[in-house]
Amino acid sequence: MQVKRNHRILILIFLVVLSAELYFSLQTPYLDNQGYLIERYTEHILETGKPLFYDTLSYNGRDVLYSPLWHYVLAVFSLMFGNFVFKLVPALFSSSLVFVVYLLSKKIVDNEELALFIALMSGFIPVVFVDSLISASVYSLAIPIMFYLIYLFMDLDEKKIGVFVALSFLLSLLHPVSILFSLGLLVYYLLGLSENMKISNLNVEAMAFNFVSTFFIQFLIYKKAFLEYGFSVIWHNVPSQILGSYFDFDLFGMLYRVGALTLIFGLIGIIWGMIKKKDRIMLLCGFALATLILLWLRLLEPTVGMMFLSVALIVASAFTLNLFLNYLGKTKLPYYRLSFIMIVLGLIISSLAVPSFVLASKHVNDDVPSDYEILVLKWVEENALPDVTIVAPLGKEHTMTAVAGKRTVLDDNFLLAPETSERYRDIERLYSTKSEVEALEIIARYNIDYVFIPIETELKYGKVKWTDDESCFRGIFFGTPKVYQVIC
Amino acid sequence: MKAASEESFLEHQRYIKLFAKLSILILALAFLLLPGILRESELAIGDRPYYHLTREGDTDRIGIGWNFLLRYFPMNILLPAIGLLSVFFIFFNLKMLKLEERLLATGFFIISPAFVYLFNVGERFGMAFLFTLIASYFLLDKKHLIAGICVVLVFLFDIWIGVFAIAILLLYLLIRYNKKKIFYSLLGVIFLLLLVLGKFNAGIISDMGAKIGSSVFAILFVAFCFLFFWDRKRFFSFYAIAGLLFLFSLKVEFGIFYFGLFLSILVGLCFFELLRIRWESKLVRDLILLIFVCGLLFSGLSYANRISKEKPNEDIFNTLSRLPDGAVVFADLEYGNWIDYNGKKSVWHSLMDRDKIETIRKDVSILLESKDYTKTTEVLERYQIDYLLLDPELKQRWHESGLIYLLKYNSEGFRFLFEENGVEVWRFFR
């Protein structure tokens, strides 16, 4: 009966998290820039049954490399839910993290109430919460799978090995972030060796399998990139200008996006677990360390790294809170149990739920195109010739290709893209230069027919002055955004 | 009845062995023919074979033995033939191993990029490699004189492979006659020389874009097995030799073929050892081995596919055929042998003396970097260049160069002659 009650509470937590996510995501009918890219690839699957591996709109046409599994998942669900799928499915998967975290926490502390509490916390990690709203993000599925794999790994036996193998394959097929899981296992293995901990043979075999299968699948999917870039493939062909700012560490930003409570309790849990040589905490520590190493080497996008790190810390914080509760049990504080629960709830709300809601609200307002932008892009779609090229700054390019259906010069899908650093530099110069000659040179180089100037660009670089030459640039829209047609 | 069933069991075993040997033969044939089948034209792959084809019969150039053979035998027959012979001799050389280990090691070598390159690209290395295998076979068979003759023959194909063969022969004899001190001293000297001399070539993994390389899965597999078997005496010596050959292949171009062969033997041995050791989960064991086999196959197949798409193509040859014989045609380094093969004169080619290449490279960098007409024409005149050949790849490679700029905007010294399927020819008026 007790079990049933906890399960009911867990389902309730799941529904609360799901409702909160849907509440924010349904405040706008649009997606963010990344969401539009996923929508376009998914629609291509729906139309042709095949993934899009030659994108005619990106960089004026080029090969694209990605694992299409996530797009297939969305395509299948879209048969039932239509366009609602890009908000519902990520929210469903992302909310299911509460079940995984519940299982993990229960395994670490063997305290059902605390596990439920941690599960609730995991539903409102700001950086994870925001990611699954309007981006149709693959991480909404990758994170629960990865942490479920950790759960399986903690108590691996002959019965679970089959599931572990299958999910390892699935994760590798889903996204290259599976490498993070393999590295986490490796770091755990090395930590175990250094601490003289006994790691069972089955676990070592599972680790070996995971490493081999992940490596093989990534090689299979990204063969072209490996051939093209060799070992430099790890930098994803990201323009040097962007790569330079990949690890601009911002402690307060991190506290806010991961949650101060998560960070503090999680770190204490990991350090304490390591001191006490707790095997399961060591595993989480392995993941946290692997993530930090990848972040430090600029091999992982900061936001992505923070997502995985924050979930690992949330689970580790179960250990800290359990220690704390045990300590409280020995003091007079149990008499004030209700007050204590209220204080902790208050802390959660202030450090997790409030930042989550603030960030989510900001994200759905700022990172989606405005109604006017969509109107402009629809006009371009209907009135411009089909094979024209529009230049847009980074951050708007996928919206442009998805809504207007026109070619762009640059987008953030850098792998296999031609001359990314040069193009990035040229586009920055195009929007910032005062010289019409320089602008026309860039326009000619990339065969640009339309110039799209969003308000963000004007705020960053000031007014784009060379568009004033009416003999060369015909203004079509003058609001926010502005659109000019190149006529000379 | 019992005797009869034993006999039938032995008969069955014999058939299985025969079937396995035939399978290896078929596999070898498949990998020897695959790039040719995938290739859209009949043209030989790469630029270096054209060096030998241009100089067939010449006895004062690189690879005189290979040039000589090409005079009498067509390359597309010679290559599969020496490939098959090499497979036989690898198999014979591994007689100290169990049959299944020999078969598997040979099979792994056949699907390796090294094998695909050796016997599909008509370079001199394939024949030299075969003679070292024959020499090794006779050496192991204690027929030292024939082995010595084979080593001498290696020199006809490649001098440096000949030197390598002599060094290996010497090391073998030292260990065989128990001269361990001299053996280790010599080994130490070789090791030091390898570290000190020449430049390291990091591109030795074909899956990472290397022109000639090993499979990343083979390297990963032996590295993975090292964790399990490093303390076993048999494996330790194998790993030590593999390590030395790896270092050797980082320095010397042809080293990769011998490293590839040794790597395949090691993969075969490790494969069976992994099958023998105790696993908690048979599922995991089988899947790991399956993934590695698929990975090795994937490397070989993708390499075969890659080299089948290598240049030259018909367009380049058709364009060159329209130019007058003896005219000097300028293009990038790897186009030189194609130009020569078509009866024209190249400015440079990949088998030239290294110092000479470096000198020309400096002049070519002037052509590419400078937009100064005088400087450019000075270089073009120095090399008596009549025509400039630009195919789509060169146009892409040199798209922002001074030479392309001058071709576009200077009609005084250059004239566009014609274009055939994207391959352009420009005339330079000296």
Side-chain angles (χ1 to χ4, degrees), chain A residues 377-446:
Chain A
L377 293 176
K378 289 273 181 205
W379 183 91
V380 174
E381 185 196 15
E382 284 159 19
N383 295 285
L385 290 169
D387 57 349
V388 298
T389 302
I390 306 182
V391 66
L394 218 55
K396 293 281 178 190
E397 66 287 353
H398 300 311
T399 314
M400 191 79 59
T401 48
V403 182
K406 305 297 175 206
R407 293 173 178 174
T408 54
V409 180
L410 173 82
D411 62 50
D412 65 0
N413 200 0
F414 298 118
L415 207 61
L416 286 193
E419 306 137 6
T420 52
S421 294
E422 287 89 335
R423 281 179 185 241
Y424 184 82
R425 184 198 60 209
D426 285 345
I427 302 303
E428 293 259 294
R429 266 172 51 206
L430 181 72
Y431 285 108
S432 59
T433 185
K434 304 277 180 266
S435 158
E436 189 182 340
V437 175
E438 193 178 14
L440 282 172
E441 203 178 284
I442 295 168
I443 285 169
R445 187 173 303 151
Y446 299 110

Side-chain angles (χ1 to χ4, degrees), chain B residues 189-200:
Chain B
V189 170
I190 292 171
F191 182 72
L192 278 175
L193 285 175
L194 279 177
L195 283 179
V196 176
L197 294 178
K199 287 177 188 167
F200 278 104

Side-chain angles (χ1 to χ4, degrees), chain A residues 215-441:
Chain A
F215 185 77
F216 176 68
I217 290 170
Q218 298 316 313
F219 234 96
L220 217 58
I221 297 173
Y222 296 97
K223 184 188 91 177
K224 265 189 189 174
F226 280 105
L227 279 176
E228 179 88 22
Y229 308 117
F231 286 106
S232 308
V233 73
I234 53 172
W235 308 113
H236 293 188
N237 197 25
V238 172
S240 49
Q241 300 93 326
I242 298 179
L243 202 62
S245 59
Y246 241 38
F247 197 67
D248 289 343
F249 191 75
D250 169 18
L251 184 66
F252 287 105
M254 189 174 170
L255 275 174
Y256 193 65
R257 294 169 75 85
V258 172
L261 203 68
T262 317
L263 202 64
I264 295 163
F265 283 175
L267 282 176
I268 293 171
I270 281 181
I271 293 164
W272 198 251
M274 277 187 74
I275 292 168
K276 295 280 172 192
K277 292 187 184 178
K278 296 279 177 191
D279 184 37
R280 286 162 185 177
I281 296 291
M282 284 286 211
L283 189 56
L284 291 171
C285 179
F287 280 92
L289 273 176
T291 314
L292 284 173
I293 291 168
L294 290 184
L295 279 172
W296 181 55
L297 294 174
R298 301 176 186 199
L299 299 175
L300 200 60
E301 273 180 61
T303 316
V304 177
M306 267 194 264
M307 280 197 277
F308 287 93
L309 192 63
S310 58
V311 180
L313 289 173
I314 274 273
V315 179
S317 67
F319 187 67
T320 315
L321 285 173
N322 194 45
L323 284 175
F324 191 57
L325 285 174
N326 287 344
Y327 172 74
L328 281 180
K330 292 171 190 167
T331 65
K332 286 181 180 174
L333 273 171
Y335 298 112
Y336 306 102
R337 192 179 168 86
L338 189 65
S339 316
F340 176 70
I341 289 169
M342 292 309 287
I343 290 169
V344 173
L345 267 176
L347 277 173
I348 288 176
I349 290 167
S350 57
S351 84
L352 288 172
V354 171
S356 287
F357 294 161
V358 171
L359 280 174
S361 175
K362 197 169 173 296
H363 184 48
V364 295
N365 286 320
D366 298 353
D367 297 336
V368 293
S370 63
D371 290 337
Y372 185 67
E373 261 179 323
I374 294 291
L375 183 86
V376 168
L377 293 176
K378 289 273 181 205
W379 183 91
V380 174
E381 185 196 15
E382 284 159 19
N383 295 285
L385 290 169
D387 57 349
V388 298
T389 302
I390 306 182
V391 66
L394 218 55
K396 293 281 178 190
E397 66 287 353
H398 300 311
T399 314
M400 191 79 59
T401 48
V403 182
K406 305 297 175 206
R407 293 173 178 174
T408 54
V409 180
L410 173 82
D411 62 50
D412 65 0
N413 200 0
F414 298 118
L415 207 61
L416 286 193
E419 306 137 6
T420 52
S421 294
E422 287 89 335
R423 281 179 185 241
Y424 184 82
R425 184 198 60 209
D426 285 345
I427 302 303
E428 293 259 294
R429 266 172 51 206
L430 181 72
Y431 285 108
S432 59
T433 185
K434 304 277 180 266
S435 158
E436 189 182 340
V437 175
E438 193 178 14
L440 282 172
E441 203 178 284

Side-chain angles (χ1 to χ4, degrees), chain A residues 92-108:
Chain A
L92 269 172
F93 286 135
S94 176
S95 309
S96 69
L97 183 66
V98 298
F99 298 115
V100 180
V101 170
Y102 169 77
L103 291 171
L104 269 168
S105 311
K106 214 170 78 171
K107 190 148 276 181
I108 286 173

Side-chain angles (χ1 to χ4, degrees), chain A residues 158 165 205 219-220 227 230, chain B residues 207-208 280-281 287 298 306:
Chain A
E158 277 291 328
V165 163
E205 287 169 15
F219 234 96
L220 217 58
L227 279 176
Chain B
D207 305 276
M208 295 283 196
E280 292 289 327
S281 167
L287 282 173
F298 162 79
R306 198 174 114 203

Side-chain angles (χ1 to χ4, degrees), chain A residues 443-455:
Chain A
I443 285 169
R445 187 173 303 151
Y446 299 110
N447 297 319
I448 295 164
D449 302 292
Y450 288 86
V451 183
F452 183 86
I453 309 170
I455 183 71

Side-chain angles (χ1 to χ4, degrees), chain A residues 158 161-162 165 169 201-202 205-206 208-209 211-213 215-216 219-220 223 226-227 229-231 419 445, chain B residues 205-209 216-217 220 224 278-281 283-284 287-288 291-292 294-295 298 302 306 396 399:
Chain A
E158 277 291 328
I161 192 81
V165 163
F169 259 123
N201 283 346
L202 191 64
E205 287 169 15
F209 168 78
F211 212 81
V212 170
S213 67
F215 185 77
F216 176 68
F219 234 96
L220 217 58
K223 184 188 91 177
F226 280 105
L227 279 176
Y229 308 117
F231 286 106
E419 306 137 6
R445 187 173 303 151
Chain B
I205 298 174
S206 66
D207 305 276
M208 295 283 196
V216 70
F217 290 96
L220 191 80
F224 173 78
R278 192 178 164 275
W279 286 74
E280 292 289 327
S281 167
L283 172 77
V284 168
L287 282 173
I288 286 178
I291 287 171
F292 271 120
C294 289
F298 162 79
S302 82
R306 198 174 114 203
Q396 170 76 17
H399 75 287

